Amino acid sequence: MSAEVDLLLQEAKESIEAAQNYRSELQLRLQGLNQARKQIRGSSGQAREALKRHFTELQAAATRLLSERLAGLLAEVDAIEADSVKPLDDCQSLIEHGVGQADELLREGEAALRCGLGEKEDKLGSFTKKAMHIQLDSLPEVPALVDVPCVSAQLDDSLLSVLRDRVSRHGCVSSHPPVQIDELQERPGSILVRWCKVDEDFAAADYRLQYRRSGTGGSQYEDAYIGRDCEFLILHLDPHTDYLFRVCARGEGRTEWSPWSIPQTGYTTLAPHEWRSGTEGYILSSRRNIALRNDSSQSRCPVLYSDAPTYFCGQTLTFKISAAGQTDRLDSLGVCIDSQSGEESLQRDQAVCISTNGAVYVNGKEMTNQLPAIGVGSVVTFDMEVVNLLPVSNNNNLSEGGHFKLRVTIGSGNREVVFDWLVDQAVDCLFFGCSFVHSGWKVLVF
């Protein structure tokens, strides 16, 4: 086979491979279009159902309220009518009784006039006595029309215009939620959720973050955060488990929440930070992420270390103090290369830490820079990154020892210190620990 044919075959194979890749990319884009179309149609259907359900409920509630109001007003008319007519009915009965007496008296008088002379005197006498007894000059008083109620209904026609105005502005339809989730960042046993506004005209007063397990039909969204911040760390999540996150906002001066953002799926592959159980002088929570220094130890307590070296460079390690006891110079919070037993403080070699008085120690030496003192509500953060690896040997074999430089940032309150930490070995994970001389200290790690 000639070289020309080989070249043509090679070009044909490359063209076929390019066509296959091109077709695959187009198919992926078709899938993306189908997902976009599904989202539009699905969300439109949900919006229609929500609108119909809401306005049906409004109509039923408005009809019920109007019917109840009409029934109440009609009952008021009935009560006024009944109370006002009763005196008239009583007066009418009195007059009708008088008319009956007058008719009877007239009949007797006419009969007395027609009777014979023998009976006339007796009849006329009896008639005269009865006439005097009836008191023909006494008439009941009939009220004037101005003195009796004239029932009327006062109806404010402005209600319809107010209702029309409110209804015309009630509800809205938007093509995009005003806020969307911007980033899901995995942390040990947790996920940091960040979101942002995508509608610049929307003035947000509060944000609301919810989450739930993915793929479980019975799982319901639950609130994780409501406030003005645009990020929140959700703790106590199971590693290697998908969770769905969504966020919405509430406008300034409004009570209703905006539409939810498009749910985003996130997970963490990092095991949660846990304190080591069984350390004398400390009580741990059920998740072992909270440690309480108790007074069971009669002597100085050893350092409480993490259960494993779960802190990796590039992450943020956070200690939060929820209760405090008496301070001591040997108190410490920090990270270390190893978990040496018997130590009473992290103020030693191969460790960096901060004391409760704000002093920072690197390999057991106190720095000149100092942070605010630690107390109830204090949050202390450690951030580390690899700066460079100094030459260790002719073949740069890490196992032969050398110097490893880490850039450490310790933050407390609104201040932070930054320094380079030289260690004797390359490390990719570190232990964390704490030590408190006095009881009463309670610290959460995440």
Side-chain angles (χ1 to χ4, degrees), residues 7-41:
L7 181 61
L8 290 175
L9 283 174
Q10 182 64 28
E11 291 180 351
K13 291 179 180 178
E14 292 177 354
S15 298
I16 290 174
E17 184 179 356
Q20 290 174 339
N21 293 335
Y22 181 65
R23 183 180 61 183
S24 299
E25 290 295 330
L26 290 177
Q27 288 175 340
L28 288 175
R29 281 161 172 76
L30 280 177
Q31 292 177 2
L33 286 175
N34 289 333
Q35 290 177 348
R37 184 178 291 107
K38 183 178 179 180
Q39 176 173 301
I40 293 172
R41 289 178 174 170

Side-chain angles (χ1 to χ4, degrees), residues 66-82:
L66 289 173
S67 298
E68 291 174 354
R69 182 57 178 162
L70 175 60
L73 292 173
L74 291 177
E76 289 185 33
V77 172
D78 293 343
I80 294 174
E81 181 183 27

Side-chain angles (χ1 to χ4, degrees), residues 113-232:
L113 292 176
R114 289 196 301 270
C115 68
L117 293 176
E119 298 177 332
K120 186 177 290 291
E121 183 177 355
D122 293 337
K123 293 285 187 180
L124 289 175
S126 175
F127 170 73
T128 302
K129 289 179 180 179
K130 181 176 278 192
M132 291 177 63
H133 178 71
I134 293 177
Q135 297 179 351
L136 296 176
D137 58 347
S138 176
L139 295 174
E141 183 179 357
V142 176
L145 294 181
V146 295
D147 296 329
V148 297
C150 180
V151 183
S152 63
Q154 290 79 45
L155 301 174
D156 188 358
D157 293 336
S158 65
L159 174 62
L160 186 58
S161 61
V162 172
L163 185 62
R164 185 184 296 111
D165 178 65
R166 292 297 299 271
V167 170
S168 66
R169 293 184 289 109
H170 182 70
C172 64
V173 176
S174 60
S175 59
H176 294 85
V179 291
Q180 293 285 11
I181 290 178
D182 188 47
E183 182 183 10
L184 296 173
Q185 190 178 102
E186 65 173 338
R187 297 286 180 85
S190 59
I191 292 179
L192 177 64
V193 186
R194 291 191 175 100
W195 56 88
C196 62
K197 284 199 313 175
V198 294
D199 184 357
E200 293 300 328
D201 296 330
F202 185 86
D206 294 294
Y207 297 100
R208 182 180 184 183
L209 173 66
Q210 290 188 337
Y211 76 103
R212 70 173 178 87
R213 284 179 179 265
S214 178
T216 53
S219 176
Q220 299 293 325
Y221 278 101
E222 58 180 285
D223 286 333
Y225 171 78
I226 296 177
R228 301 186 67 91
D229 293 337
C230 290
E231 67 176 36
F232 185 75

Side-chain angles (χ1 to χ4, degrees), residues 277-288:
S277 59
T279 302
E280 181 185 8
Y282 291 91
I283 298 175
L284 306 184
S285 63
S286 59
R287 290 182 176 269
R288 297 193 295 180

Side-chain angles (χ1 to χ4, degrees), residues 386 388-390 402-406 421-427:
V386 178
N388 62 357
L389 182 64
L390 302 181
H403 287 295
F404 200 65
K405 183 186 287 187
L406 300 175
W421 180 26
L422 291 177
V423 295
D424 293 335
Q425 56 183 323
V427 292

